[in-house]
Amino acid sequence: MKIDKFWLSVLVILIAGFAFTKLADNEFYFFTTYVVLQGLIMAVAWNILGGFTGYVNFGSAGFFAVGVYTTVALNKAFGLPLPVLLLAAGVICGLLGLAAGYLTLRLKGVYFAIATLATALVLETIVNNWKFVGGAAGTYVLQPKGSFIFDNYIELLFMLMLVLAVAATAISRYLSSSRIGQGLAAIRDDEVAAECMGVPTLRLKLISTTAMGALMGIAGAPFPFFVTFVDPVSAFALVIAVNAIAMPMIGGTAVWYGPVIGALLLGAIQETATVTISSELNLLIVGVMLVLFITLAPKGIVGLIQDYKKKKGANNG
Amino acid sequence: MITLELFLNAVVAGLMLGGFYAAVALGLSITFGQLDIVNIAHPTFVILGSFVAYILNQNFGIDPVLIGVVFMPVFYLIGTTLYRVYYVSFERTGQESLSGLAFFFGLMFIIEVVLILTFGVDYRLVNAAYIGKTLHIGFLDMPFRMLVPAIAATIMTGAVVLYMTKTFMGKAIMAVSQDRLALQLMGADPIKVKRIALGIAIATASLAGALLIIIQPVEPSVGRLYIGRIFAIVVLGGMGSISGTFVAAILIGVVESFIATFYGPSWAPAVGFGILLLTLAIRPQGIFGRA
C-alpha cells in the first residue's frame, strides 16, 4: 500500500515540532509560532464556510472569544483539565455554528455576513456585563502546574497548537476532497441550482458551519493560559476576525491548502513586523494586503501560481 | 421606581439620540439601500470626520458643526474616488457582493489603524461654548451637546430628502438600483449616478462625524459600535427609504435611551445589534419596506 503523501508530511511535521521543543531553548520562538498556528486554525476554519460554500463570516472573533471564555468560566468554576476544556469549547462553539447554519436559511450573502458581525458584538456586550468572568475589566488566569513531558507550559501549548492546526487542516482537506466538498462547491456556485439537483444544501451548510464554529472555539480555548490575562478587548479583537478572512483570501479560498499558505505567509510577516517595527504597523500590513489581494488577485496566491503555470503551458504547447 | 419625569426625560433623550443616529445612518441608507454597495466602512468615515473636526477645533477653535459642513466637499471627493476603485475592481467583473464586502472590511481596518498610528487610542474631544450647557423646559433637561447634533442631523436629512425627490440626479439615484436600463433610456449614465451617490453618502459622514464628537469623546475604534446600529436602522427603515431610515433611527434611539436609563448604559450597545438580528430573522424587508 502506498503511503499517502499528506499523512507522511503530517508525521514529519509533528516529529519536527516535538524535536523543536527539545532543541530550542528560547521561549520567544514558542510564543511566536503559537500565534501563527492560532491564526492558521482560524483561517482554515473560516475557509470551510467562507471558501467552500461562499458564506462570509465576519464574526470569527466571536466564535474565538466564546472558546476563550468557555475556558475562563469552566476553569474558574471547576478547574477542569485542558483536554476537557478544549472539548467543551468545541461543543459549545459547534452548537453556535449550528445556529449560524440555521440562520443561512433566511439570510443569504451580505445579510448573513452582517448578522455574524452583529452576533459577535452582541456576545461582546454580554461578556462585558458578565461579572463572573471579569466583565469589561478582564481577569487573570493561572497556568496549570505540571507540563506533561515538556520542560515548561509554553512548550506544551505550542505542541498542542501544532496538533490542532494539523487536525484542522486534515478536516478541511477531508471536507473539500470528499463528496461533501463537491456539494459545498455547488452551493457556492449556485445554491438554488444545487438544491434543484438534489444536493442536500441545508445539511451540508450545517456541517460546514458546525465544523467552522467548533474549530474556532477550540482555537480560542487554550488562549487564556497562553496570555494569562483575558479581557473582552483582546478576546474579541477585530484583528482576529480580519486575519481569519485575510489569510484565506491571500492564500486562495478555493482549495484546502490556500488558507494554510496564506496563514504561514501572513503570520510570518506579521510576527516579523511586530518584533522589528511595531505591533500597530503589523495590523496595517494585514489590512493593506487584504485590500490589495481582493482588488488585484481575487484568487490569491494559489490562483496566481495556477495562472502562471497555465501561461507557461500555453507558451510551451 | 419609574416616575413620569424620568420616563419623559428618557423619551426626549432618545429622540435627540435617534436624530443623531439618523445622520450616521443616512450615508449607509444611500449606499446600501440605493446602490447595493455594502459599505461597512461607513462608520469609520464618520470617525474620520470626527478627527477632522477635532484637529481644526483644537488648533483654530472653529465650531465643529461648521467644520463638518465645510469638509463635505472633501469627503464627497473621497466618496467618488472610492466608487471609481470599487467599480473597476468589483462591479465591472460582477464580484461586488462578497469580494466587495471584504474590500470594505479591509478598508475599515486600514482607516482605523492609520488613525490609531497617528492619534493613539486616547479619547479626543472638541470645545464649543454650548457644550456642557443644558436647556431646561419644565422638568425636561436637554443638553445642548445632544440638541445641536439632533437639529443639525434633522436639517441634513431633510436636505437629502429634498435633493432625492426634487432634482433629476436625485431621482436618478433613487432609480439606479431598480431599473438600470430605464435609467439609461432617460439619458442618465448609471455609473456616473452611482459615483455621485457614493460621494453624497460619504459627504454626510463629514457632518455626522463632527456631530459625534460633540456628543461624546471619540477614539478610533468607536466606529465599530455603530456598524450594527446603523445596519439595524437601515434594514429596519426598509432599505433605502430615507424617511424610513429617519423614523427607524428615532426608534432605536428611544429604545437605547430606555435601556440605558433603566438597565444601565453598558447594555445599550446590544440594542442595535439585537434589533438587527431580530429584524433579519423575522422581517428582512424592514418595517417600512415592501415584501
Side-chain angles (χ1 to χ4, degrees), chain A residues 91-106:
Chain A
V91 169
I92 291 175
C93 291
L95 289 175
L96 198 62
L98 192 68
Y102 279 107
L103 211 59
T104 64
L105 278 176
R106 289 204 68 113

Side-chain angles (χ1 to χ4, degrees), chain A residues 123-144:
Chain A
L123 290 171
E124 186 172 351
T125 311
I126 293 172
V127 171
N128 266 325
N129 285 286
W130 190 13
K131 292 286 177 293
F132 181 70
V133 292
T139 183
Y140 284 94
V141 180
L142 290 177
Q143 284 183 350

